[in-house]
Amino acid sequence: MKRYIFVTGGVVSSLGKGITAASVGRLLQAHGLSVNIVKCDPYINVDAGTMAPFQHGEVFVTDDGAETDLDLGYYERFLGIDTSRANNMTAGQIYQAVIAKEREGRYLGQTVQVIPHITDEIKSRFHRAGEGYDITIIEIGGTVGDIESLPFLEAARQMRPDRTRTDVLYIHVTLVPYLTSSDELKTKPTQHSVNKLREIGIDPDIIVCRTEKPLGREIRNKIALFTSVPEEAVVEAANSPSIYDVPNVLKKQGIDEQIMMLLRLRSNKWEFEEWSAFVQRLKTAENARPVRIAIAGKYTKLKDSYKSLVEAVHHGAIANGVRAELDFVDVEEPCRDERLARAAGIIVPGGFGDRGIEGKIATVRLAREKRIPFLGICLGMQCAVIEFARGVMGMKRAHSSEFDPRTPHPVVALLAEQKGVVAKGGTMRLGAYPCRVKPGSLAFKAYGARMISERHRHRYEFNPKYLKAYEKAGMAVTGLYKERELPEIVELAGHPWFVGVQFHPELKSRPLAPHPLFRDFVAAAARAASGREPRAERAGAGAA
Ligand code: GLN
């Protein structure tokens, strides 16, 4: 029998529903169950691709090229699975599908309505997601009470028409705020949001309470009493120092036992050692020597737009037994260079738009000249290519045709076949592409493989026309998308560690499988940091 777990949220947004859902998934996997996990986004956009980072945070790209919600990143990292288009549905997609069917005449004669047509479309996707899995976790975005999420909640409700069903269960994540003035935890918002959920017809089985302070017996009882949920099913989720601790936090309170009991599941398996060992390594690394990594971009204040990147750096650090100390440097700030020079490693991440572009190019120059380990990702790699043309190859006005359409040296450009396509998104190279890695390169050392697959999200490419000139001048192309002769990885000879990649390696890094490029980049930075300490002191004395 296929089973479904719905995760809803109440009181406020940003409660960490995604992490809760993913943690539950991880625990159920440990019991030997196969788990799929889906995010429902109530917005009308068809996908997250057209939303600005400050609207939506990071756009997570799947192997099959879907531009999705960043929660899918948590799903992949926690469950170790590769998600796809089918793991993220938006209201926009649902309406688009229903309207297309209406135009095809598939509902001929009927009035097309939210119930049953929209909800049927949603349910059919729930069922499809469940195929082949023991358990499908479905996280519904937004907060209970929003107008937008109603069709999704109604579809979730219809999945369990009455309480006798044991194949569907509902987890509600709420906030139990702490009031400093009266020194107490407040349960009222939770009561209200559970009532709101009941109005819609959903009776939660488990309540996960996000809280800053331990709930204590009394509060737990009170919530149980007011919401008619057994006390054991009121689960406390206090803030933990690391998101990777959340499965443990929930396990300690027996959330998995509750779920198994309610879904009438039994297991005699408990495979959790790998995860526990990782959390242990993480804790050890936290007390280790810090290695300062600068992330030089333009949305540095919006940490959400670099979610996967930040995680990938930490995975790499933990793999090296060091602690990454991240310094988000805005490339347009005046003290940029001093901050960059203090870093043991520099990352220029991906990005869109020309704001800050010269600052990013200057950042690459500093990394190249000061021999600071460097990782350029997507736009960061393109900046490395531009910088090298200007600084080493004498092409002073080299640029990407994205930012300077009249540059005499379009070292980064749109390919001929991409021109003329007007629809936004229509020209993007999205999703997984194979890449051939050159033996002997830094990339080869990292991956230990000739063929790799990485995810893309960009329009412009390193112009293959210049390839030979670059090789001659000392920037090697060490990764190639053979089918179209597109350079995917560049490296600098004679630099401790300088790698630019056209793809987004951060999307594939997992705690239990840190990405090899991040692992080696942090290793190089850690080496640089230990080699630099005495020198830095001397430099400091000189400057004073
Ligand atoms: N703007 C660049 C392009 O479209 C880089 C995109 C990115 O960094 N994701 O090619």
Side-chain angles (χ1 to χ4, degrees), residues 349-353 360 377-382 400 402-403 412-414 428 456-461 502 504:
F352 287 86
K360 291 178 189 179
I377 296 173
C378 208
L379 182 58
M381 177 259 207
Q382 297 175 355
S400 163
E402 178 177 12
F403 310 120
V412 175
L414 274 189
M428 281 255 214
H456 292 248
R457 182 174 185 248
H458 58 101
R459 264 184 208 97
Y460 291 77
E461 305 281 355
Q502 185 57 79
H504 287 274

Side-chain angles (χ1 to χ4, degrees), residues 1-2 4 127 157-170 205 262-264:
M1 184 161 60
K2 288 187 287 181
Y4 296 89
H127 287 296
R157 182 197 69 79
Q158 290 178 14
M159 295 288 281
R160 180 166 76 178
D162 62 73
R163 266 230 168 241
T164 60
R165 298 280 292 265
T166 56
D167 57 340
V168 175
L169 92 84
Y170 302 98
D205 300 282
L262 290 163
L263 292 177
R264 306 270 201 279

Side-chain angles (χ1 to χ4, degrees), residues 212-224:
E212 282 171 53
K213 305 244 167 191
L215 289 184
R217 195 72 202 262
E218 205 182 315
I219 299 283
R220 199 188 282 246
N221 268 334
K222 197 167 162 188
I223 293 172

Side-chain angles (χ1 to χ4, degrees), residues 382-417:
Q382 297 175 355
C383 288
V385 166
I386 297 163
E387 193 283 319
F388 193 75
R390 291 183 186 176
V392 178
M393 298 165 75
M395 298 188 265
K396 295 278 173 267
R397 290 181 52 213
H399 218 322
S400 163
S401 60
E402 178 177 12
F403 310 120
D404 178 6
R406 277 197 285 275
T407 170
H409 309 292
V411 291
V412 175
L414 274 189
L415 298 179
E417 70 255 34

